[in-house]
Amino acid sequence: MISIEDLRLAVTLARSESLSAAARTLNVSPPALSMRLRKLETRLGLTLANRDARRLSLTADGERFSRESALLLEQLEALPESFRQKDETLVGTLRLAAPFGYGRQRIAPLLARFAKVHPQLRLHLDLRETPWPDRHDSDAVIHIGHLNESLWTARPLTPNERWLCASPAYLHAHGVPSSPDELASHRCICIRENDEDVTLWHLRKGQGRKTLRVEPAL
């Protein structure tokens, strides 16, 4: 197996006038370099260089091996850069899943602007009632509520609060509740998300918190 160090050795030999000069470039002793060269020649079954105490010259096989080594090293050095987009434009496909309402009002306009900045990027937005957990084929899922799945990385996008509201006609007919406990006797409209228990409400006022179960209106 030819190593990167073998390639560098061949390139250095081609650029050096003597074995001692090549050893100084590679920061090794001349005897150590001579041993590395012999091992490489044995591995290849070729004579790469003619050397004596003062002069070093490559054979025809040595010159060819040096040229090929230089090309390989250049390709290896350029490999990371070849994967970078020069203009930082994104390419490929991005798949997103989001709830219907939030996806239409918040995500779709953002994606429209994002697509103009990255025209080579294909965007897929899948809107559905429960984007989680049935959209594991997506790159990102917009989820409303608590996430129990530990294999995904969650990032909060924005607070999601619910406000207690009632029409004037309902309050006139049934009265205004004076405490959260009285909500249990009222007919409540519950918004279902992600198949969660919509009758279990978590109320907060200042630093106080209360959890109660309500009766949904039929």
Side-chain angles (χ1 to χ4, degrees):
M1 176 76 67
I2 301 299
S3 67
I4 294 179
E5 295 304 320
D6 293 331
L7 302 180
R8 290 174 178 159
L9 170 60
V11 172
T12 302
L13 291 175
R15 297 172 179 174
S16 303
E17 295 182 353
S18 66
L19 197 64
S20 298
R24 287 193 297 271
T25 301
L26 295 174
N27 197 27
V28 297
S29 66
L33 182 61
S34 180
M35 183 178 298
R36 284 176 53 185
L37 178 56
R38 286 197 299 269
K39 289 182 178 179
L40 178 58
E41 289 178 326
T42 300
R43 195 177 306 126
L44 295 173
L46 301 171
T47 300
L48 299 178
N50 299 313
R51 59 269 196 191
D52 54 34
R54 295 186 177 182
R55 184 167 180 79
L56 172 69
S57 61
L58 297 181
T59 64
D61 289 331
E63 291 179 353
R64 178 188 172 189
F65 186 76
S66 175
R67 289 194 300 271
E68 297 293 338
S69 297
L71 290 174
L72 288 173
L73 287 175
E74 290 178 1
Q75 292 174 359
L76 288 174
E77 292 173 358
L79 186 60
E81 188 65 25
S82 66
F83 286 95
R84 300 191 184 103
Q85 292 291 325
K86 300 299 183 181
D87 57 358
E88 297 184 354
T89 300
L90 299 180
V91 297
T93 302
L94 179 62
R95 298 178 176 86
L96 302 177
F100 279 114
Y102 191 84
R104 285 195 302 266
Q105 295 181 8
R106 301 291 184 178
I107 304 302
L110 291 176
L111 287 184
R113 295 198 295 268
F114 192 73
K116 293 181 179 180
V117 179
H118 303 284
Q120 299 183 53
L121 183 66
R122 299 180 60 190
L123 297 173
H124 292 260
L125 177 59
D126 188 359
L127 301 179
R128 53 179 56 220
E129 287 292 344
T130 56
W132 182 267
D134 59 340
R135 301 310 296 169
H136 284 191
D137 59 337
S138 299
D139 299 303
V141 177
I142 309 300
H143 173 79
I144 298 176
H146 183 67
L147 183 63
N148 295 319
E149 175 63 57
S150 60
L151 298 180
W152 284 63
T153 301
R155 293 288 186 271
L157 298 179
T158 184
N160 180 42
E161 297 181 345
R162 292 287 185 264
W163 296 81
L164 293 177
C165 304
S167 68
Y170 179 87
L171 295 178
H172 179 74
H174 301 280
V176 179
S178 58
S179 68
D181 292 328
E182 292 185 13
L183 292 173
S185 60
H186 283 265
R187 302 183 65 195
C188 301
I189 299 176
C190 302
I191 301 176
R192 179 175 297 279
E193 290 176 340
N194 307 314
D195 295 327
E196 296 175 353
D197 187 353
V198 297
T199 66
L200 192 62
W201 286 12
H202 305 278
L203 305 178
R204 181 181 62 194
K205 182 177 182 181
Q207 299 299 321
R209 295 174 182 269
K210 185 178 184 62
T211 299
L212 63 115
R213 190 170 298 279
V214 299
E215 182 67 25
L218 299 178

